[in-house]
Amino acid sequence: MRIVTWNINSLRLRLPLVERLVGALNPDVLCLQETKVEDGLFPHEALAALGFAHRAVVGMKGYNGVAILSRLPLGATTAKRWCGRKDARHLAVRLPGDIELHNFYVPAGGDIPDPAANDKFAHKLSFVEEAARWWARQKQRGARRVLVGDLNIAPLEHDVWSHKQLLDVVSHTPAEVERFARWQESQGWVDAVRHFVPADQKLYSWWSYRAHDWVASNRGRRLDHIWVSPVLQPSLERAIVLREARGWPQPSDHVPVSIDLAAD
DNA sequence: ATGGTGGATGCTCCA
């Protein structure tokens, strides 16, 4: 089973790129973030025509929004609120094979890495703290779980183009990275992409729109993640970061990240 | 050190 996560930065604008993604990766399950579309305007027909017969959606007007599109039947769907807000940042579904799949869009956190001076950064820290606490309370440690999404944090030194220069840049600050680590430890989550790509190798999933030439400057960050519960680690077959998607016409600033899980 | 671009919206927010 192939599961792909992608911050698409407006689903309706980039529907043609979903078709292109299907051509490139043919996901069984596609998790999107920043769909930026309210549920009543969600392009169900176009996605059904691409083979995604099963869809779970939670959106809002203009901002945020997540969706899970699937060729396989989806079981029970839940959308949890975080930090007491109804801001469409989470969806969970049950997949065939008794897999619980969670799709997250973590707040970006604004520009100033100081929770006292920047409410958005405070919200981001609270969100990750709450996620870590919530997951620490979830028992059934042997459960088959996959967690994907734009987590908006690049935790490792080689998840950013310059560790030193990004230590005080939102997405790579110690305050974020420590909380991210606590979240990951909360269930012993396995970083499914770093399982295949050594930690000393640079790996990015996002390149800013603000670069004149994203290829030449290559100042990327790895903000998009796929985690699996420990019991699923032996089922990991492959991970792909589809760098070429950043060069597609009118691209998202994020690229799709994919894993293959062995059927069993 | 600064400002750079892109998307949705509607005279500005968010990333």
Side-chain angles (χ1 to χ4, degrees):
Chain A
M1 175 165 52
R2 176 166 286 181
I3 300 174
V4 173
T5 179
W6 191 17
N7 179 322
I8 195 167
N9 187 18
S10 174
L11 172 58
R12 284 177 294 174
L13 183 68
R14 280 184 248 286
L15 270 174
L17 295 192
V18 176
E19 184 166 10
R20 204 156 166 154
L21 174 69
V22 168
L25 291 179
N26 193 27
D28 296 297
V29 182
L30 174 58
C31 299
L32 299 173
Q33 305 86 36
E34 282 208 86
T35 53
K36 293 186 174 178
V37 57
E38 57 196 294
D39 293 349
L41 297 175
F42 193 89
H44 283 284
E45 281 187 18
L47 294 164
L50 290 173
F52 298 112
H54 309 276
R55 299 171 300 277
V57 164
V58 56
M60 55 192 285
K61 186 177 179 178
Y63 304 108
N64 308 335
V66 290
I68 299 176
L69 315 175
S70 178
R71 303 191 184 287
L72 311 168
L74 298 177
T77 299
T78 55
K80 188 176 155 44
R81 292 182 197 184
W82 302 87
C83 302
R85 305 187 189 200
K86 284 198 285 187
D87 55 359
R89 295 181 178 276
H90 171 257
L91 264 181
V93 298
R94 179 78 54 176
L95 296 176
D98 197 30
I99 291 174
E100 188 182 306
L101 171 66
H102 290 260
N103 180 14
F104 276 90
Y105 174 51
V106 171
D111 289 330
I112 302 164
D114 173 1
N118 174 8
D119 290 342
K120 293 181 202 163
F121 193 67
H123 177 214
K124 182 181 197 175
L125 296 182
S126 298
F127 189 104
V128 176
E129 284 167 18
E130 187 175 330
R133 278 198 311 272
W134 188 82
W135 280 109
R137 285 198 306 271
Q138 303 307 303
K139 300 309 175 191
Q140 300 166 288
R141 293 304 165 98
R144 298 158 62 81
R145 294 184 170 120
V146 179
L147 186 159
V148 310
D150 176 4
L151 305 186
N152 263 318
I153 295 173
L156 304 177
E157 192 167 333
H158 295 292
D159 289 340
V160 294
W161 63 275
S162 168
H163 172 62
K164 266 183 84 169
Q165 287 178 259
L166 273 79
L167 276 172
D168 60 352
V169 173
V170 171
S171 73
H172 194 61
T173 63
E176 292 163 273
V177 170
E178 284 162 15
R179 284 164 177 81
F180 186 96
R182 284 204 280 280
W183 185 2
Q184 198 169 351
E185 288 157 8
S186 67
Q187 288 275 324
W189 291 107
V190 175
D191 182 334
V193 178
R194 281 298 185 189
H195 180 74
F196 294 99
V197 182
D200 63 359
Q201 198 172 313
K202 292 287 184 193
L203 186 63
Y204 314 137
S205 65
W206 172 89
W207 291 261
S208 172
Y209 284 126
R210 297 178 190 179
H212 294 300
D213 182 337
W214 72 275
V215 177
S217 60
N218 196 26
R219 293 184 168 188
R221 305 178 202 168
R222 188 170 71 109
L223 304 178
D224 302 276
H225 298 273
I226 302 181
W227 295 347
V228 300
S229 57
V231 71
L232 283 180
Q233 177 167 336
S235 303
L236 288 171
E237 290 184 325
R238 188 178 180 196
I240 300 167
V241 178
L242 197 68
R243 190 180 198 276
E244 66 186 57
R246 187 62 178 79
W248 288 349
Q250 202 168 21
S252 170
D253 45 354
H254 295 253
V255 301
V257 177
S258 170
I259 60 159
D260 293 349
L261 285 174
D264 81 7

